[in-house]
Amino acid sequence: MAILQRQNTLTNPTHIDEWDRDHSWHPFTQMEEYCSVPQLHVERGQGCWLWDTEGNRYLDGNASIWTNAHGHNEPDINAALVEQIGKIAHSTYLGLSHPVGAKLGKRLVDLAPESLNRVVFSDNGSNAIEIALKLSFQYWQLVGKPEKRLIVGMENGYHGDTFGTMAAGNSDAFHGRFQPWLFESLKFAAPECSELDGKVKSADMGKSLCQLEEVLEANAPQIAAVVLEPSIQGPAGMRLQPAGFLKEVETLCKRNEVHLILDEVFVGCGRTGSVFACQQEGVDPDFLCLAKGLTAGYLPLAATLTTEKIYEAFLGAFDTGRAFYHGHTFTGNPLAASVALKSLEKLERLISSGRLEKTIYYFGRKLAESFEGQRNVGDIRQRGLAAAIDLQPRQGCVPWPPNDRVGLKVCLEARKHGLLLRPLLDSILIVPPLVINQEEIDFLFDNLRTALEAVMKNIGN
Ligand SMILES: *Cc1c(COP(=O)(O)O)cnc(C)c1O
């Protein structure tokens, strides 16, 4: 009886609100602010849509934090998951294998640039980068160059929230306070590029490449690797790189005998129109890190791809201690691997059929049409299915104080119009599932525009 009563209260939405407020601690969230605005509990999803506990429907405008590819509750992926769960949900990858893990490793290597032939699985993006950093560090020790241990990161880089990734990254706003605990790393300027609907509005990579060249030439014997997010720095607000930039970075790394680690946690798996972003420039990195979209937004899984040359340096008799001691309990989880395999199969069809390209084209068009020249819109950046709209006060007005939370206000207003988005300060980031259709793109931008106009009117802009 007591158990029955408890189950009843567990499904009562009023309690869910209360329990969430009383006991949850949400990441990247000022909880004081969170508790002061209406809560939203997502209960189910279908395609690009989400429903909350009160039955309201929302378009998933940020693909459930940049992960969803083929829609929610997708029949083929569900079937792959059900098939795998009927066999086994989890078995370790430490010293053992399983068929879906082996298949996924082979599939990733087939899809990836030529140089990459080995896959280390883990379970989130930060780990994928952390593993690449540690593999690079250990590699140089194993080949007799232990002094090569500095990491070079790019301005505005974000690679995760663990200590190694914070040190390699450059997100002062998020991580500045942890500086005293971070290992030393070098930085170089990011290039500049504004692009929308396939048209480059401005671009400059000269300063960035000069700085990288200087840093490498002055310190190469001490540098292990350069790490960056190719094509788009998503978490920094969709900051773009001009075409040709990555190829130049690759050339500089090769010339200076420094590893190139590409963080494709965000841009990988179709986001920019190809399976991997680095393929658009024919770049062959030493490490390629994947997570977010790898399982189409279903389950946590990450992969760090690397070369046979690096792998071979770790081989030897047991007592040489050359093995790589970094693994997570749920590394290469079979459920997640089965979903990733199915998702990659569907992604290849989405690309080869031309559908993804058409979607990207329409997304760029509609975004430009809806917001270019708008009074409170500054720069708009878009590449692939990723976009940012920088909001700004009307000309001549003083900048909005941060506590005005204009970006958040626009996103909260958008909710009332059936649209879920997450701001980055006063920028609105838009990252829909890869299968979003034209009607849904219209819905997205029409309602975002309505929300933006309503908020501007309200705050007197
Ligand atoms: C999200 C993200 C990460 C971190 O991934 P987690 O799974 O959140 O640890 C790293 N790099 C980039 C570019 C990301 O977008």
Side-chain angles (χ1 to χ4, degrees):
M1 190 60 201
I3 286 174
L4 252 175
Q5 268 171 4
R6 203 160 155 221
Q7 277 174 349
N8 281 338
T9 55
L10 272 171
T11 53
N12 183 333
T14 56
H15 287 299
I16 288 171
D17 243 27
E18 190 184 307
W19 291 334
D20 184 44
R21 225 180 277 270
D22 289 351
H23 306 296
S24 297
W25 191 341
H26 297 274
F28 277 91
T29 303
Q30 173 44 259
M31 289 303 289
E32 190 172 305
E33 183 175 81
Y34 174 86
C35 290
S36 73
V37 301
Q39 283 159 287
L40 198 162
H41 312 284
V42 173
E43 194 169 47
R44 65 191 176 91
Q46 186 68 52
C48 296
W49 300 87
L50 301 169
W51 280 261
D52 69 12
T53 39
E54 285 164 25
N56 302 307
R57 188 181 84 145
Y58 306 89
L59 185 73
D60 189 359
N62 83 350
S64 298
I65 213 68
W66 311 353
T67 58
N68 196 281
H70 309 294
H72 297 278
N73 206 2
E74 204 287 323
D76 298 338
I77 297 186
N78 287 3
L81 192 50
V82 168
E83 192 191 323
Q84 181 58 41
I85 212 166
K87 293 176 184 162
I88 192 165
H90 184 66
S91 162
T92 184
Y93 225 55
L94 278 62
L96 283 182
S97 183
H98 48 67
V100 273
K103 278 188 205 162
L104 180 59
K106 162 79 174 137
R107 197 79 212 90
L108 286 171
V109 163
D110 285 348
L111 289 167
E114 192 63 36
S115 59
L116 303 170
N117 194 51
R118 291 279 161 185
V119 183
V120 182
F121 288 117
S122 56
D123 51 19
N124 64 68
S126 309
N127 278 336
I129 310 294
E130 200 81 38
I131 286 169
L133 297 172
K134 287 171 75 175
L135 282 172
S136 177
F137 182 98
Q138 185 169 336
Y139 170 85
W140 293 117
Q141 287 189 353
L142 296 176
V143 299
K145 295 186 176 172
E147 60 292 343
K148 279 175 87 65
R149 53 189 170 82
L150 281 172
I151 296 295
V152 181
M154 193 161 87
E155 186 189 354
N156 308 318
Y158 173 86
H159 304 293
D161 303 326
T162 54
F163 277 97
T165 58
M166 286 194 293
N170 210 334
S171 318
D172 256 15
F174 299 150
H175 303 141
R177 69 175 68 252
F178 296 107
Q179 191 60 45
W181 275 8
L182 304 185
F183 60 73
E184 186 196 348
S185 64
L186 304 172
K187 307 273 181 261
F188 70 105
E192 282 171 31
C193 179
S194 184
E195 191 177 302
L196 171 61
D197 189 22
K199 291 181 214 51
V200 179
K201 294 180 281 178
S202 63
D204 178 19
M205 56 178 163
K207 180 178 162 203
S208 172
L209 291 172
C210 269
Q211 281 193 13
L212 178 60
E213 189 169 10
E214 270 172 37
V215 166
L216 291 178
E217 272 167 17
N219 308 282
Q222 285 82 44
I223 295 175
V226 170
V227 55
L228 58 83
E229 303 147 77
S231 189
I232 311 174
Q233 290 180 306
M238 305 301 155
R239 290 171 194 269
L240 307 177
Q241 294 151 27
F245 171 75
L246 193 62
K247 196 73 199 166
E248 295 287 333
V249 171
E250 181 194 35
T251 306
L252 287 173
C253 288
K254 288 213 157 82
R255 191 194 302 155
N256 288 284
E257 216 202 344
V258 158
H259 289 146
L260 176 60
I261 301 174
L262 294 184
D263 175 352
E264 292 217 18
V265 170
F266 170 54
V267 293
C269 305
R271 189 51 57 191
T272 67
S274 46
V275 179
F276 304 122
C278 63
Q279 290 168 322
Q280 296 189 6
E281 300 209 2
V283 165
D284 251 335
D286 300 284
F287 299 94
L288 180 67
C289 305
L290 305 171
K292 288 198 168 84
L294 182 58
T295 57
Y298 263 62
L299 287 165
L301 181 73
T304 307
L305 278 68
T306 190
T307 65
E308 203 62 9
K309 181 177 173 187
I310 289 171
Y311 168 77
E312 279 171 359
F314 288 67
L315 302 178
F318 178 78
D319 70 357
T320 58
R322 299 174 86 91
F324 184 53
Y325 290 113
H326 180 126
H328 297 279
T329 309
F330 283 99
T331 282
N333 171 263
L335 293 177
S338 69
V339 164
L341 270 170
K342 182 52 77 181
S343 175
L344 288 169
E345 182 192 316
K346 291 177 77 71
L347 177 63
E348 280 178 279
R349 253 179 286 141
L350 201 62
I351 293 172
S352 66
S353 67
R355 177 166 165 198
L356 185 57
E357 195 186 335
K358 282 201 194 104
T359 305
I360 291 170
Y361 176 76
Y362 190 79
F363 180 77
R365 286 269 60 190
K366 178 75 188 179
L367 170 64
E369 270 171 35
S370 308
F371 293 98
E372 252 184 337
Q374 274 265 71
R375 198 165 77 170
N376 293 103
V377 169
D379 192 31
I380 312 175
R381 296 172 295 284
Q382 173 259 334
R383 185 176 285 167
L385 284 183
I389 301 175
D390 296 343
L391 305 180
Q392 63 181 25
R394 194 163 24 138
Q395 295 232 312
C397 286
V398 282
W400 294 310
N403 281 344
D404 279 12
R405 305 292 277 139
V406 177
L408 179 68
K409 281 185 178 132
V410 171
C411 292
L412 289 174
E413 179 66 23
R415 282 188 194 178
K416 297 184 195 155
H417 299 273
L419 176 59
L420 271 191
L421 289 167
R422 208 180 136 78
L424 177 74
L425 301 175
D426 291 338
S427 295
I428 308 294
L429 307 185
I430 305 148
V431 183
L434 302 184
V435 293
I436 190 168
N437 66 32
Q438 296 196 354
E439 222 175 293
E440 290 162 340
I441 291 173
D442 289 347
F443 180 97
L444 199 172
F445 291 126
D446 291 346
N447 285 287
L448 177 55
R449 205 182 140 139
T450 307
L452 175 62
E453 285 168 359
V455 170
M456 291 306 147
K457 201 167 152 212
N458 220 313
I459 62 173
N461 256 269

